Amino acid sequence: MNDINIKVAVIDMNNGFPNQGMRGIQEILHRYKIYNQLNLTVDVFDIRQKGEVPDLSYNIYISSGGPGNPYDGEGQKWEADFFDLLDRIDDFNLSNNDKKHVFLICHSFQLGCRKYGLGEVTQRKSNAFGIFPITLTQAGENEHVFEGLYNPFFSVDSRDWQVVQPNESVFKKMGAKLLAIEKERPHVDLERCMMAIRFSPYMIGTQFHPEADPIGMKMYLLLEEKKELIIKNHGQEKYDDMIDSLENPDRIMLTQSVILPNFLDQAINALQVV
């Protein structure tokens, strides 16, 4: 396996805004490459700001989160190019043995849900930002990518939008599976949103940030505007709990060490089978 060149395309959806997500994704890929002694190359494509789009020469595609409204790209070339790339990957996988694997994060997940019509993408009543528990469905408990996590598990959530109202007929037609949902809140009369979906055997996406690490999250949590927002929406106790949980090896440290590495295992092991 070491002599195979594994090519990874990372699609940057941040539109030029500063973020910790791209660093998190690239660090996971670097650690994975070193640990497994792989010939793995990574190219980054700034799709929203520069219109850069990867071709079909890559084995693995990871598309990042990003700021803004998931409808901002309607009618714009970059969104059409992104949807076209997903179509071309789907078509390739239908007619080839060496499948290409895709991971969609946050903003990219919302775009994927819009493209395939898997649910309603709507604005939240308030911003969700912080470290929150996420509940696996039965399908999620049987999903290899989540193997090694607790149920519920903890991850970083950062969004003003959500995907709700799963379209059962589209799920059935695509063979898609709902893997995770928001924590149940019996005292709040709001529908829980979809937090992870397996779109196909080769494409998976999460509303949350599996690449987030304690270093990046601490930088965010200590920003005065973020601190005030969390305390306003969730209270001082919740904020203090988030700061404390950064040191907890069973929370986002575990999530970061499990999800994307498991996805890479799955994608790369499939290459070995070919």
Side-chain angles (χ1 to χ4, degrees), residues 70-113:
Y71 294 94
D72 281 347
E74 281 188 306
Q76 293 193 32
K77 185 176 185 300
W78 73 261
E79 183 181 277
D81 287 345
F82 180 63
F83 287 169
D84 178 63
L85 173 65
L86 296 183
D87 283 337
R88 286 185 293 128
I89 292 170
D90 287 340
D91 290 344
F92 180 94
N93 285 340
L94 279 174
S95 52
N96 290 273
N97 289 328
D98 54 333
K99 311 298 186 186
K100 299 182 182 300
H101 286 70
V102 180
F103 200 111
L104 306 176
I105 298 170
C106 195
H107 195 88
S108 299
F109 171 80
Q110 293 167 357
L111 290 176
C113 289

Side-chain angles (χ1 to χ4, degrees), residues 8-214:
V8 181
V10 177
I11 301 168
D12 181 354
M13 284 277 181
N14 287 286
N15 205 22
F17 284 81
N19 71 96
Q20 294 292 326
M22 290 297 292
R23 177 189 59 79
I25 292 167
Q26 289 172 293
E27 283 188 4
I28 289 170
L29 287 167
H30 180 70
R31 282 200 305 267
Y32 188 90
K33 170 184 177 174
I34 301 301
Y35 181 78
N36 293 286
Q37 298 181 307
L38 295 172
N39 181 8
L40 184 147
T41 56
V42 179
D43 293 319
V44 175
F45 296 85
D46 185 343
I47 193 167
R48 288 174 74 180
Q49 193 178 36
K50 299 179 182 173
E52 298 168 348
V53 187
D55 59 23
L56 288 184
S57 68
Y58 294 87
N59 310 105
I60 296 166
Y61 299 78
I62 299 173
S63 193
S64 81
N69 178 334
Y71 294 94
D72 281 347
E74 281 188 306
Q76 293 193 32
K77 185 176 185 300
W78 73 261
E79 183 181 277
D81 287 345
F82 180 63
F83 287 169
D84 178 63
L85 173 65
L86 296 183
D87 283 337
R88 286 185 293 128
I89 292 170
D90 287 340
D91 290 344
F92 180 94
N93 285 340
L94 279 174
S95 52
N96 290 273
N97 289 328
D98 54 333
K99 311 298 186 186
K100 299 182 182 300
H101 286 70
V102 180
F103 200 111
L104 306 176
I105 298 170
C106 195
H107 195 88
S108 299
F109 171 80
Q110 293 167 357
L111 290 176
C113 289
R114 265 189 54 218
K115 170 183 164 41
Y116 294 108
L118 285 164
E120 297 292 320
V121 183
T122 63
Q123 193 160 12
R124 289 176 56 87
K125 286 198 177 345
S126 62
N127 170 272
F129 179 82
I131 300 163
F132 298 105
I134 294 161
T135 303
L136 291 171
T137 62
Q138 190 171 351
E141 288 187 332
N142 295 320
E143 167 60 54
H144 170 72
V145 167
F146 295 141
E147 212 169 277
L149 292 178
Y150 301 105
N151 190 13
F153 64 95
F154 285 81
S155 189
V156 169
D157 200 6
S158 176
R159 63 199 160 89
D160 292 301
W161 293 76
Q162 62 186 354
V163 187
V164 293
Q165 298 285 327
N167 187 324
E168 303 294 349
S169 62
V170 175
F171 266 85
K172 191 172 181 181
K173 183 180 173 186
M174 285 180 63
K177 293 177 181 174
L178 177 59
L179 303 176
I181 52 178
E182 249 179 335
K183 179 191 176 187
E184 189 164 15
R185 296 172 295 169
H187 58 289
V188 180
D189 187 26
L190 291 172
E191 184 182 10
R192 289 184 291 170
C193 73
M194 296 187 269
M195 296 301 284
I197 293 173
R198 178 159 283 291
F199 294 80
S200 77
Y202 319 107
M203 185 187 297
I204 190 169
T206 63
Q207 176 64 80
F208 58 88
H209 286 269
E211 80 284 10
D213 65 351

